Amino acid sequence: LSISRALSVLQKQSKKKNMTSLLESISNSVSSGETFSKSLEAHPEVFSQLFVSMVRAGEESGKLSESLRTIGEQLEKSHLLTKKVKGAMIYPIVIMTIMLVIGIVLMVYMVPTLTETFKGLNIELPLPTRIIVAISDFLRLNFLLTLGFLLFIFFSIFFSLKTKRGKDFLDSLVLHLPIIGTMSREVNAARTARTLSSLISSGVPIVSALETTGDVLQNHYFKDVVDSATKKVELGELLSVSLNSESQNLYPVFLSEMLSVGEETGKMSEMLGNIADYYEAEIDQKTKDLSTIIEPFLMVLMGIAV
C-alpha cells in the first residue's frame, strides 16, 4: 500500500478523536507532496526525534517499512523496560501511602475514643501512649492546618523537581541509591544501546544517531556523557574509546568493550542490539528480585508501625 492509503486505513481503525485528527493531518500533508518524515516532524508532541530520524533514514535508503518495523520494536521494548521498573516501585509506594492514610484515620477517629477510656482509669499512661495521644489531639484539633501543611510540602517537592536544579538533584539521588543506582545505570545502558542499534541499522550516520540518542536519555548525567562522546566522534575518535573516557563510571565497562568488538568486526549495530538484550534481561531479573526483597522489608515496617 502507498503511505497515504496506509494512513487512511489507520484513520478508519482509530477510535480516538485526537488520533483520527492527527492521522488526517499527516495524510493531508503527505497527499500534498510533503515527505512522510516532514509530516511527522510537524507533530513533535507525538513523534520523537528518534522516530522522525529513523523514518527519514528509511526514506533515504528505500527501506521505510524496515525502519518502521524497527521503530515499533524499539518503542515496545522501551515501554516494557519502563513499565517493569515503574512496576517494581509502585508496590512499596502504594503500601506506604495506605499505611499513612490508615494511620491518620486511626489518629483522628479511633484514638480519641480510647483516650476517653484512659481518662476514666485515672492512671499515669506510659510515655509511648502519651505521645500517640498528643499526636492524635494535635491532628484532631488542627486537621485542616496539618492537611494544608502536607499539601504544601507535596506541591513544593513536585514543582521543585520540575526545575533544572530539582531534576539534577533527583538524577544524582537515583544514581547514588543502593540497588536503584545500579538499575538506573543498566536502564540507561540498555536504552543507549537499543536506540543506537535501531538508528545505525536504519542507515542514520553515527554522529546524528548519537545526537538523537542523547535526546532520548532522561538522566542528564548520561546525556552529558553521550554529548561529549559525540563531539569526540566528530573529530575522528572511535565511539568505544570516547564513551569509555567520558563515562565517569556511569556506563558499565562491558558496554565500551563490546562496542570495541563491534567496531573491529564491522557489526556495531548487531553488537549494540546484543548489549541491549543483555541489560534488558538483567533489569527484568533485578525488578523481580527487588519485589521479592521489598515484601519482607515492608512486612517488618508495617509490624513496627502497628
Side-chain angles (χ1 to χ4, degrees), residues 11-24:
Q11 195 176 325
K12 289 174 183 176
Q13 284 184 324
S14 178
K15 295 178 181 178
K16 293 183 179 179
K17 191 176 179 181
N18 290 345
M19 191 65 179
T20 304
S21 60
L22 172 71
L23 290 167
E24 186 179 3

Side-chain angles (χ1 to χ4, degrees), residues 194-247:
R194 181 67 65 194
T195 306
L196 273 174
S197 174
S198 300
L199 288 165
I200 293 169
S201 66
S202 297
V204 178
I206 184 68
V207 173
S208 299
L210 283 166
E211 288 171 352
T212 304
T213 301
D215 293 334
V216 169
L217 299 172
Q218 294 174 338
N219 189 302
H220 87 278
Y221 288 103
F222 290 92
K223 194 187 292 284
D224 292 345
V225 168
V226 172
D227 289 344
S228 299
T230 304
K231 292 172 184 174
K232 290 192 174 185
V233 169
E234 279 185 296
L235 297 173
E237 194 172 278
L238 288 172
L239 176 58
S240 57
V241 176
S242 56
L243 201 61
N244 189 37
S245 63
E246 294 291 334
S247 70

Side-chain angles (χ1 to χ4, degrees), residues 71-133:
I71 293 168
E73 292 171 358
Q74 152 81 1
L75 291 174
E76 187 174 6
K77 287 178 180 178
S78 179
H79 173 70
L80 287 172
L81 188 65
T82 306
K83 192 175 178 182
K84 284 172 184 174
V85 175
K86 284 183 177 178
M89 297 294 103
I90 286 172
Y91 178 68
I93 291 170
V94 169
I95 295 295
M96 296 293 288
T97 304
I98 291 172
M99 280 178 60
L100 181 63
V101 171
I102 290 174
I104 291 171
V105 170
L106 289 174
M107 288 291 183
V108 173
Y109 293 104
M110 186 176 173
V111 173
T113 306
L114 297 174
T115 304
E116 293 299 319
T117 305
F118 293 148
K119 285 178 181 177
L121 296 175
N122 294 320
I123 56 172
E124 186 179 355
L125 298 172
L127 180 61
T129 310
R130 292 204 303 272
I131 291 171
I132 288 175
V133 169

Side-chain angles (χ1 to χ4, degrees), residues 27-55:
S27 182
N28 291 336
S29 177
V30 171
S31 298
S32 64
E34 195 62 85
T35 61
F36 186 40
S37 57
K38 276 286 183 185
S39 303
L40 296 176
E41 201 171 13
H43 303 278
E45 73 284 356
V46 179
F47 302 102
S48 65
Q49 188 59 44
L50 168 67
F51 201 115
V52 175
S53 296
M54 289 182 68
V55 168

